Amino acid sequence: MRLFLLALLLGGSLPLAASQQLNLYSWADYVPAQALQRFQDTTGIQVRYDTFDSLEVLESKLLTGRSGYDLVFPASTSLARAIQAGALQPIEAGEFTHAASLDPELLALLAEADPGNRYAMPYTWGTVGLGINLQAVEQRLGADAPLNSLDLLFKPDYAQRLKDCGIAVLDSPQEVIAIALNYLGHDPYASAGPALEQAAQLLAALQPNVRYVGSARHIDDLARGEVCLALTYNGDAGMAAARAAESGQPFEVIYRIPREGTLIWFDSLAIPVDAPNPAAARQLIDFLLQPEVLAELTNELFFANASLAAEPLIDPQIAADPDIYPPPELRARLFAERQLSLAEQRQRNRLWTRFRTQY
């Protein structure tokens, strides 16, 4: 009888213990530490925070299954693939108290990857644009250089003059090709041969002036002055700017959203289909969607968030920065990531291979 009672006691305690832990998988320092501590103190749920350093690692965990994680932070493209693979649980905005204050325009853009916003809530958002060593570029192009234009990359007259100080391009075929198509006046997701051939010719003209194509190297290279122009994420340019300033470099790294329009990215909150503790994940999503928590995140990391109610709580300098929160006329020219068919992806990968062959 004692053994039976002991087994019953131990067996009954297991679900309780499990319910008090949540396994989180995200970028490093992507949830403010003080906010996470408040969540743990308020709910009693202890959070194990594991980090990834690339979206490929996160995607592999999601698509392989049995990751053991309750809450993950996929970007738009990863989100679309995970939904397509059945790797995420459906969630509804009505489940979350603070979802009502999310910007409907941004939700509509995220719906390109998550139709109906059925699998994810937006966490942060930003753009792909131009990371610039201001002094190096102005030295070569003059003080009236079009810093907010993709002409710096795609017009040979400019790119040839910047070649010696270094141009880097993000190694992301879907994103870069979409941006090139948009620059040419085409649908960013056009699949017609003539539009893609024009994009191929545009990239071919850029190719001799590019120092390299890469995914993270340009952050330190911008900060050290080893490249002067990079087509990159706003967050990467922001890190480069901070590192340049901290190391006392005699130049300033800035970021500009291209006036021609560009891609908007989202990092989202989603629950794996086999999450051990989805109820706790839902509690944390609702906590993270609080305007106070999202404003705290934006004030610390300089990433825009999707909560309209958070805007009054954001540092006025950040809220007024048009390269973090673009004005309506520029925001109207942003386009979202979209899931392409396998045939379209292969078509673009072949184009990209032609472009980056020499790197």
Side-chain angles (χ1 to χ4, degrees):
M1 177 62 70
R2 287 176 183 171
L3 290 173
F4 171 77
L5 290 173
L6 179 61
L8 184 62
L9 179 63
L10 290 174
S13 70
L14 286 176
L16 177 63
S19 71
Q20 299 308 309
Q21 178 168 303
L22 181 149
N23 300 318
L24 174 69
Y25 199 41
S26 179
W27 300 101
D29 304 317
Y30 212 30
V31 180
Q34 61 274 21
L36 207 53
Q37 189 60 54
R38 290 198 304 273
F39 173 77
Q40 294 180 136
D41 293 343
T42 302
T43 64
I45 299 170
Q46 297 302 304
V47 178
R48 191 189 81 191
Y49 190 153
D50 290 348
T51 63
F52 53 81
D53 57 9
S54 76
L55 288 173
E56 289 76 17
V57 172
L58 169 61
E59 221 172 303
S60 175
K61 292 270 189 185
L62 280 176
L63 299 184
T64 302
R66 298 183 181 177
S67 68
Y69 292 108
D70 300 298
L71 183 61
V72 294
F73 289 61
S76 316
T77 304
S78 301
L79 174 64
R81 284 194 281 266
I83 292 169
Q84 198 172 49
L88 298 175
Q89 293 188 18
I91 58 176
E92 298 294 339
E95 300 179 51
F96 307 111
T97 308
H98 304 287
S101 62
L102 294 173
D103 188 328
E105 289 184 13
L106 294 175
L107 285 172
L109 286 167
L110 181 59
E112 292 278 356
D114 175 16
N117 300 115
R118 294 187 59 241
Y119 289 89
M121 291 289 104
Y123 185 57
T124 59
W125 63 276
T127 51
V128 177
L130 301 167
I132 298 166
N133 178 324
L134 180 60
Q135 284 69 28
V137 169
E138 288 189 341
Q139 180 184 354
R140 288 160 178 79
L141 302 183
D144 59 348
L147 300 178
N148 65 340
S149 174
L150 289 166
D151 287 349
L152 292 183
L153 273 179
F154 294 135
K155 285 197 170 178
D157 180 52
Y158 290 127
Q160 286 165 7
R161 285 189 276 165
L162 296 176
K163 179 179 179 178
D164 72 299
C165 63
I167 296 175
V169 172
L170 191 66
D171 189 8
S172 179
Q174 310 307 334
E175 293 172 328
V176 177
I177 292 170
I179 288 168
L181 284 165
N182 185 74
Y183 174 81
L184 291 167
H186 297 300
D187 178 344
Y189 299 102
S191 57
L196 286 175
E197 187 52 39
Q198 285 183 38
Q201 291 171 9
L202 188 71
L203 292 173
L206 170 64
Q207 188 182 51
N209 302 310
V210 172
R211 184 169 296 177
Y212 63 81
V213 175
S215 291
R217 173 182 162 190
H218 58 271
I219 299 173
D220 281 334
D221 285 352
L222 269 173
R224 290 193 296 255
E226 293 180 13
V227 297
C228 62
L229 178 65
L231 182 66
T232 186
Y233 302 110
N234 63 306
D236 287 357
M239 283 190 281
R243 291 176 192 178
E246 287 166 6
S247 61
Q249 295 286 6
F251 56 80
E252 180 186 3
V253 175
I254 63 171
Y255 175 79
R256 293 291 181 266
I257 298 176
R259 65 192 181 204
E260 297 88 356
T262 189
L263 183 138
I264 181 173
W265 57 261
F266 291 91
D267 279 344
S268 59
L269 305 166
I271 303 174
V273 69
D274 54 357
N277 199 346
R282 284 171 164 79
Q283 282 185 262
L284 183 53
I285 289 174
D286 205 27
F287 179 86
L288 293 176
L289 291 180
Q290 292 180 91
E292 298 82 2
V293 175
L294 288 173
E296 196 170 34
L297 168 75
T298 297
N299 290 336
E300 283 191 15
L301 299 183
F302 305 98
F303 286 115
N305 69 73
S307 173
L308 295 173
E311 290 179 5
L313 308 174
I314 295 170
D315 182 320
Q317 284 189 307
I318 297 173
D321 187 332
D323 292 299
I324 298 176
Y325 283 98
E329 63 272 15
L330 182 52
R331 197 163 123 167
R333 292 195 288 274
L334 302 180
F335 57 89
E337 292 182 89
R338 186 185 303 168
Q339 179 66 11
L340 299 174
S341 70
L342 288 176
E344 289 170 325
Q345 289 178 48
R346 284 194 294 268
Q347 191 179 30
R348 292 185 177 217
N349 286 337
R350 285 194 296 270
L351 190 161
W352 189 249
T353 300
R354 286 160 55 190
F355 167 63
R356 75 180 317 281
T357 302
Q358 71 181 55
Y359 304 110

